[in-house]
Amino acid sequence: MITHCFAPRDLDRLRSHGHEIILTPSDDPGHLAGAWSENAASLDLALTGWDSPPITDAMLDGAPGLRAIVHAAGSVKPFIPPSIWRRGIRLASCNDALGVVVAETTLGMIICGLKGFFPCAEVTRSGGWQNEFLSLPGFQPRELYDVTIGIIGASRVGRHVIRLLKTFEARVLVSDPHLDQEEAASLGVECVDLDELVAQSDVVSLHAPALESTRGMLKAKHFRAMKDGAIFINTARGMIVDEEAMTAELSTGRIWAFLDVTNPEPPPASHPFRSLRNVILTPHIAGALTNGSRRMGRSAVEQILEFARGEVMQGEITMDRLAHLA
């Protein structure tokens, strides 16, 4: 995780502020557990990531001086016990930094979807050209101008998508039970209910958290209500969607989809997601894969420095907030 997430310049920033950094020799769980046992008694702050084993109460018992945990990735739930707040340990994640790259990928999908890059490539690969592309049944290429983009979930990712869309002349609708009209106005979007959003949008992009309360939230009626030629994008989680209902609507050829996540992952080799021509299926790559991971490392370093200055960390998570996070 260290070399993948942290540029040398960011680690040097920590050292220049007088912080002693203990680096594990590898991401092997055995090495990580050994490093914890060896250094826990002297730890002030712990840094976790995707490859970290979960921190247990027994591990925390051996780290009486631990005052904060910074998670250099997204969801903290698989890694952190709820007892940390009782112990007075502060917690932060780099979910906001991770959200930037997911939002950038989403914007790319919106543009590629509206313009029809993938059906266009099929036409030209088979020998056709512009006339054949423009006459494709069930698809009308469009630009990101004077169209309606629907964002389901004013999450960190959803808000980054909204920020990126400000560059374009598009109407943006948002459906989120925790977003009121005043805050929507400050974001420059329209707050609507889910039924209105799916019916009015040319593109529907899902950014809700994966919680039991959102499981199967998008149902058959929502996909049936989408406009002919509408594009559905899912870079959130497959479990938020009734995939059987979505597949049935996609099978009509009436709507299009960009799916980066499914339930389960990967979908079976025979699944229609892999064969329908109006589905672009990508293998869960919307998040940080390579150099983008270092944005999270930079965020982690900034939050460690904020903690050292006695400030609220930009990605700080309270016990109350945890229930609303994926």
Side-chain angles (χ1 to χ4, degrees):
M1 185 188 79
I2 298 298
T3 57
H4 185 67
C5 285
F6 292 89
R9 63 178 178 271
D10 290 321
L11 293 177
D12 288 342
R13 288 173 62 201
L14 284 181
R15 295 188 180 98
S16 69
H17 283 79
H19 298 288
E20 180 184 358
I21 304 171
I22 301 170
L23 301 179
T24 55
S26 77
D27 292 338
D28 178 86
H31 286 142
L32 291 170
W36 181 278
S37 298
E38 184 178 345
N39 299 287
S42 61
L43 287 181
D44 296 302
L45 184 144
L47 185 68
T48 59
W50 278 315
D51 294 318
S52 301
I55 292 179
T56 64
D57 283 310
M59 293 168 69
L60 294 177
D61 288 340
L66 185 67
R67 295 184 294 149
I69 299 171
V70 175
H71 186 56
S75 176
V76 298
K77 287 182 177 178
F79 300 95
I80 309 299
S83 65
I84 64 164
W85 288 285
R86 174 174 51 80
R87 296 172 183 266
I89 299 171
R90 292 166 62 188
L91 173 66
S93 86
C94 297
N95 200 40
D96 190 64
L98 178 61
V100 173
V101 68
V102 178
E104 291 170 346
T105 303
T106 300
L107 177 62
M109 290 176 171
I110 292 172
I111 294 173
C112 289
L114 287 170
K115 199 71 173 182
F117 281 11
F118 290 95
C120 181
E122 285 192 13
V123 167
T124 56
R125 190 176 293 115
S126 63
W129 202 242
Q130 188 180 101
N131 287 340
E132 290 82 359
F133 171 57
L134 294 176
S135 60
L136 276 177
F139 183 77
Q140 175 61 50
R142 292 153 287 176
E143 282 74 45
L144 189 42
Y145 167 76
D146 198 26
V147 293
T148 300
I149 310 297
I151 306 294
I152 301 175
S155 59
R156 290 183 182 272
V157 178
R159 289 167 188 257
H160 282 306
V161 175
I162 291 168
R163 175 179 56 81
L164 294 174
L165 287 171
K166 289 184 182 297
T167 307
F168 303 90
E169 298 176 73
R171 179 189 182 204
V172 180
L173 307 181
V174 178
S175 176
D176 189 311
H178 305 290
L179 183 71
D180 58 31
Q181 296 291 348
E182 183 178 354
E183 188 177 11
S186 71
L187 293 172
V189 302
E190 299 174 44
C191 185
V192 299
D193 64 29
L194 183 57
D195 289 349
E196 183 177 355
L197 182 145
V198 296
Q200 293 195 26
S201 298
D202 299 287
V203 177
V204 175
S205 192
L206 179 59
H207 303 291
L211 306 171
E212 277 307 308
S213 59
T214 61
R215 183 180 295 277
M217 180 177 73
L218 282 177
K219 307 180 189 312
K221 68 172 185 175
H222 298 119
F223 293 103
R224 286 198 299 265
M226 289 182 187
K227 296 178 179 180
D228 289 352
I231 299 162
F232 175 67
I233 297 172
N234 190 0
T235 56
R237 285 295 184 270
M239 59 85 76
I240 307 173
V241 178
D242 180 341
E243 290 191 336
E244 184 176 349
M246 178 174 64
T247 302
E249 196 62 35
L250 286 167
S251 296
T252 69
R254 196 181 63 78
I255 63 173
W256 294 69
F258 280 70
L259 306 176
D260 187 58
V261 289
T262 60
N263 184 32
E265 289 187 4
S270 59
H271 198 287
F273 290 162
R274 295 182 182 268
S275 56
L276 286 170
R277 298 183 69 185
N278 53 330
V279 174
I280 308 303
L281 178 66
T282 52
H284 203 138
I285 59 167
L289 293 176
T290 53
N291 60 314
S293 298
R294 293 197 165 186
R295 185 186 275 123
M296 291 186 293
R298 182 184 65 186
S299 172
V301 168
E302 290 171 351
Q303 294 190 74
I304 291 169
L305 296 176
E306 288 167 346
F307 171 79
R309 294 192 297 266
E311 300 171 0
V312 174
M313 294 176 283
Q314 58 190 265
E316 191 148 351
I317 300 171
T318 63
M319 185 169 60
D320 292 339
R321 277 194 61 214
L322 189 65
H324 303 289
L325 300 176

